[in-house]
Amino acid sequence: MPDQKNFGFIGGGNMGEALIKGLLRASLCAAGHIHVFDVSPARLRDLESTYGVRCRTSAAEVADSAQAIFLAVKPQHMEPALDGIASHLSRSQLIISIAAGIPISMIADALPEGQPIIRVMPNTPALVLQGASALARGRHATDEHMDLALGLFRSVGTAVEVEEKLMDAVTGLSGSGPGYVLLIIESLIEAAVLLGLPRAVARELVLQTVSGTAGLVRETGRHPAELKDLITSPGGTTIRGLHVLEERGLRGALMSAVEAAALRSSELGKK
């Protein structure tokens, strides 16, 4: 993508900053071609001093400056953000929303007819450029628009395209999933401390165990159950632990957690 393309951010919070960092790290554009507006002047000064981006005094200024505009605001702030840019847009500009639970139809209703829109559900590991993002296109977003957006979010991790009707499932899985994984990590650390390991040692071992196992699944391409069988010896330690987890219903609990979070996402979207 040529450097002359300008990107705009309405909202400079953690996720907005992660995307800015990803754009720059992947050399998708120069810092001077990133335009940012945030309601906090202090936040803008921090982004400017850290990344060299161009700070703007209003959402309208961002809309006047950028070909692709990220709506990186909280859901409750979406309506005023859209009001601030609607009259400054043309159909050549791509709108990319990362506001959780806000459907494309709501954004489209507030913007000019024919505006290309892509809705994204990123997750918090994007803050360390290890995110998992799902993207859904509005009816005016072309393959070219989607390719651009996928490239942007792949600069902060993994990105896939899904139908918008699946975004609640994505929210329950990868959107809320870091919370489930963090609980598992915390529990494993506490178990190690219970058994006498120093907390720092327990933390290091657990983090590497989790990340290494994910890498094993990714690199081999094998089914998790198949890999699990490889390390589960008859009468050994792993099968003893797995037996307890099955007795306590870990598998069903995780499945129910994803389902509950997806249903909650649907409820919030309807509101």
Side-chain angles (χ1 to χ4, degrees), residues 7 20 31 47 49 82-83 92 102 104 116 124 131 135 138 142-143 154 190 221 235 239 241 249 259 267:
F7 295 93
I20 290 170
L47 291 172
S49 63
L82 293 173
D83 289 343
S92 65
I102 302 294
I104 292 172
T124 50
L135 292 73
T142 65
D143 288 344
R154 283 170 181 160
E190 293 302 313
I239 191 62
E259 182 182 37
E267 292 170 1

Side-chain angles (χ1 to χ4, degrees), residues 79-255:
E79 188 172 348
L82 293 173
D83 289 343
I85 66 174
S87 62
H88 295 260
L89 295 175
S90 69
R91 292 185 185 180
S92 65
Q93 293 169 284
L94 174 62
I95 303 299
I96 303 173
S97 170
I98 63 172
I102 302 294
I104 292 172
S105 59
M106 181 268 190
I107 299 171
D109 286 345
L111 299 181
E113 176 63 31
Q115 196 74 50
I117 301 166
I118 290 177
R119 174 184 171 188
V120 187
M121 180 68 236
N123 67 2
T124 50
L127 301 177
V128 291
L129 308 181
Q130 293 292 324
S133 303
L135 292 73
R137 70 175 81 189
R139 63 191 183 96
H140 299 292
T142 65
D143 288 344
E144 183 180 358
H145 290 133
M146 180 55 73
D147 288 343
L148 169 63
L150 285 169
L152 297 174
F153 282 89
R154 283 170 181 160
S155 73
V156 293
T158 295
V160 297
E161 181 179 2
V162 300
E163 296 181 56
E164 189 180 18
K165 66 182 181 181
L166 298 175
M167 288 300 260
D168 291 326
V170 170
T171 301
L173 178 62
S174 57
S176 300
Y180 319 146
V181 176
L182 288 167
L183 180 60
I184 292 170
I185 289 173
E186 180 188 18
S187 300
L188 291 174
I189 291 172
E190 293 302 313
V193 172
L194 176 66
L195 294 172
L197 281 175
R199 186 169 294 276
V201 172
R203 184 178 189 276
E204 189 68 21
L205 290 175
V206 169
L207 291 179
Q208 185 56 41
T209 298
V210 173
S211 64
T213 304
L216 183 66
V217 176
R218 183 184 298 277
E219 293 299 321
T220 64
R222 300 171 78 172
H223 193 283
E226 183 184 1
L227 292 170
K228 176 171 62 67
D229 286 349
L230 292 178
I231 61 171
T232 307
S233 303
T237 59
T238 305
I239 191 62
R240 185 67 63 88
L242 288 171
H243 176 64
V244 173
L245 294 177
E246 291 290 359
E247 277 191 326
R248 303 293 174 87
L250 176 66
R251 185 193 305 261
L254 288 172
M255 292 173 69

